[in-house]
Amino acid sequence: MHMKSLTALAATAALALGATACGGSDTSTTSTGTTTTKTDAVKPVAEIPALSGKDTAVTLDAGFVKALGSLKLTPAPVGTAQISKAGVASFPITGGNVTYYKPGTESPFVQGMIDHDGSGLSLTGGGKKVELTNFEVDPGKSVLTGKVTVDGKIAAESAPLFFLDGRTLKPLETGADNTAILEGTTVKLKQEAADLLNQTFSTDALKAGFVIGVAKITVNTA
């Protein structure tokens, strides 16, 4: 991949995992209060029409692991996901796309979806089992949604699960085998997910904003 494309990848991937919500209306307001109207003439600065892996890995926060232990909940990988002995949960990227516009010319200025089909995380305890699978990252909202199953029954096909806080994001790194690496985004529990888990496991210990871990995304650039 030539330098222009790699730079585009850096911008789109960084914003996909690190940007704060950009809004979803047809107009956007800049820091100076100027409103920009969406037009058909606006062209993206960068576009990745087909993402092709590698994975999103989350180093589980010690506080989250301790909380699971206190609640007697056992985490486990689902499908193609893996959890290492070091407490890193990895979810393969299976597809998606990202388009990046110059901020102020389009709203949201980062659009698309990053898919992690066929993998996820389960929590088991008290005779109950919750599976969170088929993760999708929405770069325009910095939110990760997923399918929720409780004891084998679908509770939600697509529910907001985690907020992706990019204020801790590190600069882009170049990895081996034509990959780019972005690390440092803090993964936090969304209110909807906290409510569902609390109700299922009969607790009130999980709150919105609870830190799940720190994400590291590795993507192919070739």
Side-chain angles (χ1 to χ4, degrees), residues 16-17 48-57 80 90-98 111-120 133-139 143-146 158 164 217-219:
L17 285 183
I48 305 174
L51 295 170
S52 59
K54 305 278 190 167
D55 62 18
T56 297
T80 55
S90 302
F91 311 97
I93 294 173
T94 58
N97 63 88
V98 180
Q111 301 177 11
M113 199 68 69
I114 302 176
D115 301 325
H116 305 76
D117 293 336
S119 66
T133 59
N134 296 347
F135 296 152
E136 292 185 337
V137 173
D138 185 330
V143 64
L144 184 152
T145 60
S158 181
L164 304 173
I217 183 172
T218 303
V219 296

Side-chain angles (χ1 to χ4, degrees), residues 8-72:
L9 173 66
T12 52
L15 287 165
L17 285 183
T20 55
C22 303
S25 64
D26 285 345
T27 62
S28 61
T29 302
T30 67
S31 59
T32 60
T34 303
T35 299
T36 302
T37 302
K38 177 181 176 181
T39 66
D40 293 335
V42 176
K43 294 183 178 180
V45 174
E47 186 173 10
I48 305 174
L51 295 170
S52 59
K54 305 278 190 167
D55 62 18
T56 297
V58 179
T59 300
L60 301 178
D61 185 79
F64 175 62
V65 175
K66 183 178 180 180
L68 292 182
S70 299
L71 296 171
K72 298 182 179 180

Side-chain angles (χ1 to χ4, degrees), residues 118-172:
S119 66
L121 181 71
S122 70
L123 295 173
T124 304
K128 297 284 186 178
K129 183 177 182 179
V130 173
E131 290 189 348
L132 311 174
T133 59
N134 296 347
F135 296 152
E136 292 185 337
V137 173
D138 185 330
K141 298 179 180 178
S142 290
V143 64
L144 184 152
T145 60
K147 181 179 179 179
V148 181
T149 303
V150 179
D151 293 335
K153 296 181 179 180
I154 298 175
E157 284 287 356
S158 181
L161 301 177
F162 307 116
F163 172 68
L164 304 173
D165 187 347
R167 290 175 296 180
T168 53
L169 186 67
K170 298 177 181 179
L172 176 78

Side-chain angles (χ1 to χ4, degrees), residues 95-107:
N97 63 88
V98 180
T99 302
Y100 171 60
Y101 295 89
K102 180 181 178 181
T105 65
E106 185 65 286
S107 178

